[in-house]
Amino acid sequence: ETGVTQTPRHLVMGMTNKKSLKCEQHLGHNAMYWYKQSAKKPLELMFVYNFKEQTENNSVPSRFSPECPNSSHLFLHLHTLQPEDSALYLCASSQTGTDTQYFGPGTRLTVL
Amino acid sequence: SQQGEEDPQALSIQEGENATMNCSYKTSINNLQWYRQNSGRGLVHLILIRSNEREKHSGRLRVTLDTSKKSSSLLITASRAADTASYFCATAGSNTGKLIFGQGTTLQVKP
């Protein structure tokens, strides 16, 4: 394992539901990332946090709301999602100043 | 815009053969990395090569970088069935930590 955990591993939700994805890293890193991976598309960077501060929002719709309460935890709050939001959501962490990222196993999200 | 483009998109070989995957990118970089992803899982970092390096080895992996052609290759020697996975290149353009990933090459190694 890489030291980055994600829960839940699988999530099925309706378009009117509200749910949250959780990511936790045990590596002492201070940068955390959310990515979206859809079939036949490159990984899409969604958000970047450095020292708990959001430093990048890659034009992500407001129905995705990130939260980073500390350097070890990252959440992605979901509400009123669309079926096209179905994808694998990956969390990653790194040490600021280095480029190697460590990924969690992902949450497979299905929006009905 | 997409930075890394990988070639081929899919590769199928027999166990014991070598597998070569290529990656091209568009802008200047600080380093280029290769990651592996087993089906439905997270990505695992394999190797990083800096812009001032031309070749790097790690076990059965050999990575080359040609900054004049803006391209890199990943060679896996003596492949094993367990090497079956998707392989992604990712470029880092500055010290922001932001990586831009290619679409990946899906490798199947038949026993």
Side-chain angles (χ1 to χ4, degrees):
Chain A
E1 296 301 323
T2 62
V4 181
T5 58
Q6 288 187 244
T7 54
R9 295 293 310 278
H10 300 272
L11 178 62
V12 179
M13 59 187 289
M15 289 191 285
T16 58
N17 291 159
K18 289 185 181 180
K19 296 287 184 184
S20 295
L21 310 185
K22 179 182 176 182
C23 175
E24 183 173 359
Q25 57 96 1
H26 310 273
L27 301 169
H29 291 163
N30 44 41
M32 296 188 78
Y33 312 80
W34 278 118
Y35 288 89
K36 175 184 179 183
Q37 186 178 32
S38 305
K40 302 190 186 304
K41 283 187 169 182
L43 259 71
E44 300 173 52
L45 178 65
M46 300 175 73
F47 302 103
V48 181
Y49 279 81
N50 279 281
F51 296 98
K52 304 189 298 178
E53 298 297 320
Q54 187 180 122
T55 54
E56 179 119 10
N57 176 338
N58 206 21
S59 302
V60 180
S62 59
R63 57 185 185 270
F64 295 91
S65 174
E67 178 191 0
C68 189
N70 54 62
S71 293
S72 299
H73 294 85
L74 185 64
F75 295 89
L76 188 62
H77 303 298
L78 316 171
H79 63 98
T80 59
L81 294 192
Q82 305 297 313
E84 60 264 29
D85 296 322
S86 298
L88 182 67
Y89 287 85
L90 293 162
C91 172
S93 71
S94 71
Q95 190 65 23
T96 297
T98 68
D99 293 318
T100 299
Q101 294 183 15
Y102 295 79
F103 284 79
T107 295
R108 172 67 63 187
L109 174 66
T110 302
V111 182
L112 300 176
Chain B
S1 62
Q2 187 172 320
Q3 170 75 316
E5 294 189 13
E6 281 141 285
D7 164 57
Q9 289 190 357
L11 181 60
S12 182
I13 59 174
Q14 293 294 134
E15 207 165 26
E17 294 180 340
N18 296 342
T20 300
M21 291 160 261
N22 303 295
C23 169
S24 60
Y25 57 92
K26 296 176 183 173
T27 61
S28 63
I29 61 172
N30 274 358
N31 64 70
L32 185 144
Q33 304 175 40
W34 286 90
Y35 288 79
R36 165 198 167 121
Q37 183 181 33
N38 285 71
S39 180
R41 305 282 298 181
L43 279 71
V44 175
H45 178 258
L46 295 176
I47 196 165
L48 181 153
I49 186 164
R50 301 193 184 284
S51 58
N52 60 355
E53 297 175 308
R54 292 297 166 257
E55 188 171 313
K56 204 160 182 182
H57 297 255
S58 176
R60 292 184 296 112
L61 305 180
R62 173 177 167 252
V63 169
T64 62
L65 179 64
D66 187 335
T67 52
S68 66
K69 295 181 180 178
K70 292 187 167 55
S71 67
S72 172
S73 67
L74 171 68
L75 168 67
I76 304 175
T77 60
S79 64
R80 305 167 182 167
D83 294 328
T84 295
S86 292
Y87 293 82
F88 296 87
C89 69
T91 54
S94 65
N95 290 326
T96 63
K98 180 176 173 179
L99 293 179
I100 302 177
F101 286 83
Q103 284 192 293
T105 293
T106 300
L107 172 66
Q108 181 186 31
V109 181
K110 299 175 184 175

